[in-house]
Amino acid sequence: MKLSEILENTEHRPWEIPKSSWRFYQEWNDVLFLHWQTDLEELQKFVPEELEIDLFEGKPWISVVAFAMEKIRPRYMPAFAPISNFLEINVRTYIKKKGKTGVYFLSMEGGKNLSCQVAKSISKLPYRYSKIKREEQFYDSSNTEFEDQLNIQFSIGEPTTTKTDLERWLTERYALFQDDGSFINEYEIHHTEWPLKALSISNMALSYPRFKNLIGREPDLINYSEGVQVIAWGKKKIAKADWRL
């Protein structure tokens, strides 16, 4: 899809796209969504107090999202595949602040060390390197520093013709808020509505010791998506003291 068509496709968004010029393009492809309803008190240990945890029917959620980051590039510059394309896994939860609903990353892993360094330097997001490999129906990652592991065998089913309110709530997020010391960085993004498909898991070994009380069981909801083309704006840096007002 042309970028102009993506920018014109806005009916699914909860607020208008920014009026300023966008800064980055990227694609999130071959996406596995693993979702858990979790404990609010335990989750609050990992989220800055400035951010309010968003709830669905009174309950918080946390997700593991494994995908291929592809063609990431600044505006007016071409993508450089050795850096622009890499496998990624993030652990995220759902927050809201001043009328915007978004995501907050508890963990971000990339499958190329150099890509992680570049992405972290530019975005200030908490990227770290993990060994990750992906085959057609297999995803495997490990990180010795944190003893994190994801090993999953799966098959992809039919397209989701009617999404539930929960599926939309978990996937249609157009802002990211991330802790950066004494600041909270706010990022705006835009893409078309996520196309979802059914996902079946035949075998899974998942271990994130830091989050064992949040995701230490089978997921409550799973989905697959072929992916979306994403347009992103530059970060907005806001002092934590201002967020408390």
Side-chain angles (χ1 to χ4, degrees):
M1 183 179 291
K2 294 180 180 179
L3 295 183
S4 59
E5 294 174 322
I6 297 172
L7 288 166
E8 291 170 359
N9 189 329
T10 61
E11 293 182 357
H12 57 292
R13 289 181 55 93
W15 64 84
E16 293 183 356
I17 63 173
K19 297 185 184 302
S20 58
S21 298
W22 60 272
R23 295 281 304 280
F24 299 96
Y25 173 83
Q26 56 202 274
E27 295 181 10
W28 303 338
N29 294 322
D30 296 321
V31 187
L32 306 178
F33 288 107
L34 313 177
H35 305 291
W36 288 261
Q37 188 181 102
T38 195
D39 178 74
L40 180 59
E41 184 176 353
E42 181 67 22
L43 181 58
Q44 285 173 329
K45 299 176 183 179
F46 300 95
V47 178
E49 62 181 0
E50 291 80 15
L51 300 176
E52 180 183 357
I53 295 174
D54 200 5
L55 306 176
F56 183 84
E57 296 181 349
K59 300 293 184 180
W61 284 74
I62 187 172
S63 304
V64 174
V65 185
F67 62 102
M69 171 74 84
E70 296 181 328
K71 300 180 182 179
I72 184 170
R73 61 173 177 84
R75 189 172 185 172
Y76 304 123
M77 293 182 65
F80 180 58
I83 296 177
S84 300
N85 298 349
F86 57 95
L87 297 175
E88 180 173 333
I89 300 172
N90 61 58
V91 182
R92 74 188 198 187
T93 192
Y94 303 91
I95 57 88
K96 59 183 178 181
K97 185 64 178 176
K98 296 183 179 179
K100 287 185 178 180
T101 55
V103 301
Y104 178 81
F105 290 122
L106 281 65
S107 171
M108 298 184 75
E109 303 166 77
K112 290 182 180 178
N113 199 359
L114 181 57
S115 297
C116 289
Q117 293 178 37
V118 172
K120 187 174 183 178
S121 174
I122 293 174
S123 69
K124 305 303 180 184
L125 293 173
Y127 275 101
R128 58 190 172 86
Y129 169 70
S130 292
K131 293 182 180 179
I132 308 176
K133 62 180 179 179
R134 172 75 179 262
E135 297 177 3
E136 185 175 355
Q137 297 183 331
F138 178 76
Y139 206 104
D140 181 77
S141 73
S142 62
N143 181 283
T144 55
E145 180 182 1
F146 294 95
E147 298 183 351
D148 295 338
Q149 178 187 14
L150 173 62
N151 181 292
I152 182 169
Q153 293 176 291
F154 60 91
S155 58
I156 301 165
E158 295 298 316
T160 301
T161 55
T162 303
K163 297 178 186 176
T164 66
D165 290 342
L166 177 58
E167 286 171 328
R168 292 184 184 278
W169 185 88
L170 288 165
T171 57
E172 300 305 324
R173 298 273 164 165
Y174 297 94
L176 159 65
F177 303 97
Q178 202 66 38
D179 193 3
D180 184 19
S182 58
F183 294 88
I184 298 288
N185 291 330
E186 177 185 341
Y187 308 78
E188 293 248 16
I189 65 166
H190 176 65
H191 52 74
T192 58
E193 186 173 339
W194 278 100
L196 299 180
K197 289 186 176 182
L199 179 68
S200 297
I201 296 175
S202 56
N203 186 49
M204 183 174 75
L206 182 145
S207 177
Y208 281 74
R210 291 165 296 154
F211 312 130
K212 64 181 181 180
N213 294 329
L214 298 171
I215 54 176
R217 64 182 195 282
E218 293 295 313
D220 297 304
L221 177 66
I222 56 177
N223 296 106
Y224 171 83
S225 179
E226 293 178 351
V228 290
Q229 297 169 263
V230 183
I231 295 168
W233 282 259
K235 67 177 180 291
K236 183 179 180 182
K237 195 173 184 178
I238 306 171
K240 286 186 176 181
D242 295 336
W243 280 73
R244 299 188 184 104
L245 298 178

